[in-house]
Amino acid sequence: STQIHIPRATPEARVRYAGMPRILRTRVTGVVHHVISRFVDRSWQLAGDEERDGYLHRLGHALARSDWTLLGYGLMSSHVHLVLESGSGSLESWTKSAHSRMARWLNHRHGRLGPVFADRPFAEALAPDRVPYVLAYVHNNPVRARRVEWAGATSWTSHRAYLGLDPSRARLCVQRGLALCGYADDAEGRSRFDDWVRACAEEQPERGNRIALYCYDSNAIISDALEALAQARRYGEEIN
């Protein structure tokens, strides 16, 4: 049987992974962030490969002018997940450029006017032991949405680049992402990372179940879990 390397994580880290916690604002260099950007009215702005390619092109152009490092992405139809390691600049130093250029392109493409992205991005700083869980979460987004059965079966996320099946896009640094998850940048390390992502999808198919599984005897953690459950229900309404 395949041996899966499971990165260590505290109970609190697992609960927080399960349900999209509060925003933790920081400007410290070298901190990994999970950034979520949603489109206005939850509209399907990324309807096909051309739109997703357009977003990655503009994201890479913006990141080239910053010192933030892209570690992973998930480009869903109505929202975008990014995992990045912070640099010395602010989050807005690259999001404003990437998203304003993308909004203009989409509006021109579809003959529309008005905002495309809903408010500012949600940005959460991650503890180091949460990084593997969040990268798996992002790569499994199409699996949870029932678009595919395996994260590597779609180009909507950076998972295929992690496995060496597709080239890296938008200045994605697979080597750094693998290292932060505890894997080597070689064939064995990539295979073990794939096993880890598959295990997250198979063992934790429902967000509510993950929350229940990782609730421990701590009022603070249970409070976070209840908050996460409410957000999970809203998420379920969004994708169904």
Side-chain angles (χ1 to χ4, degrees):
S1 60
T2 304
Q3 214 174 25
I4 299 173
H5 167 66
I6 301 178
R8 299 178 63 185
T10 63
E12 183 176 2
R14 294 190 177 198
V15 172
R16 287 186 176 276
Y17 154 71
M20 292 306 190
R22 312 177 182 92
I23 299 174
L24 175 59
R25 301 187 184 278
T26 182
R27 288 289 297 275
V28 179
T29 301
V31 175
V32 177
H33 289 69
H34 181 197
V35 178
I36 306 173
S37 300
R38 300 187 182 278
F39 297 113
V40 169
D41 295 330
R42 299 175 178 174
S43 56
W44 284 27
Q45 297 286 350
L46 302 185
D49 290 341
E50 192 168 354
E51 287 84 357
R52 290 181 172 84
D53 288 344
Y55 182 83
L56 289 175
H57 172 73
R58 287 158 180 82
L59 175 64
H61 185 272
L63 288 175
R65 300 185 176 188
S66 81
D67 56 352
W68 285 59
T69 302
L70 180 65
L71 303 175
Y73 60 81
L75 309 182
M76 304 301 288
S77 300
S78 64
H79 61 284
V80 171
H81 292 269
L82 301 175
V83 182
L84 307 103
E85 190 170 24
S86 63
S88 58
S90 66
L91 181 73
E92 291 79 12
S93 67
W94 57 269
T95 55
K96 283 185 178 180
S97 171
H99 288 181
S100 62
R101 285 164 54 88
M102 184 65 182
R104 287 196 299 269
W105 180 73
L106 284 172
N107 279 340
H108 177 75
R109 178 176 171 82
H110 298 292
R112 297 182 307 221
L113 295 172
V116 172
F117 289 90
D119 204 5
R120 292 181 298 178
F122 172 105
E124 176 209 0
L126 305 177
D129 59 359
R130 288 190 56 219
V131 174
Y133 292 91
V134 173
L135 272 174
Y137 170 84
V138 169
H139 285 182
N140 277 321
N141 253 253
V143 178
R144 285 193 309 280
R146 297 181 176 87
R147 300 295 180 183
V148 294
E149 294 184 356
W150 168 53
T154 176
S155 60
W156 288 18
T157 78
S158 49
H159 193 61
R160 289 180 60 84
Y162 267 72
L163 303 185
L165 301 176
D166 285 345
S168 294
R169 302 281 306 280
R171 302 179 66 85
L172 175 72
C173 188
V174 171
Q175 182 180 18
R176 180 61 176 158
L178 287 170
L180 289 171
C181 292
Y183 300 106
D185 183 21
D186 56 23
E188 180 182 356
R190 291 168 186 253
S191 177
R192 292 171 70 191
F193 177 77
D194 184 43
D195 290 340
W196 164 244
V197 174
R198 287 176 185 264
C200 287
E202 293 169 1
E203 295 178 8
Q204 304 164 358
E206 299 295 336
R207 300 184 81 194
N209 289 347
R210 288 203 295 271
I211 294 165
L213 177 63
Y214 294 124
C215 277
Y216 289 82
D217 188 19
S218 164
N219 290 334
I221 293 175
I222 292 173
S223 174
D224 277 351
L226 292 175
E227 177 187 347
L229 180 57
Q231 295 185 10
R233 286 172 178 161
R234 290 195 293 272
Y235 175 87
E237 294 172 359
E238 175 182 338
I239 66 171
N240 292 329

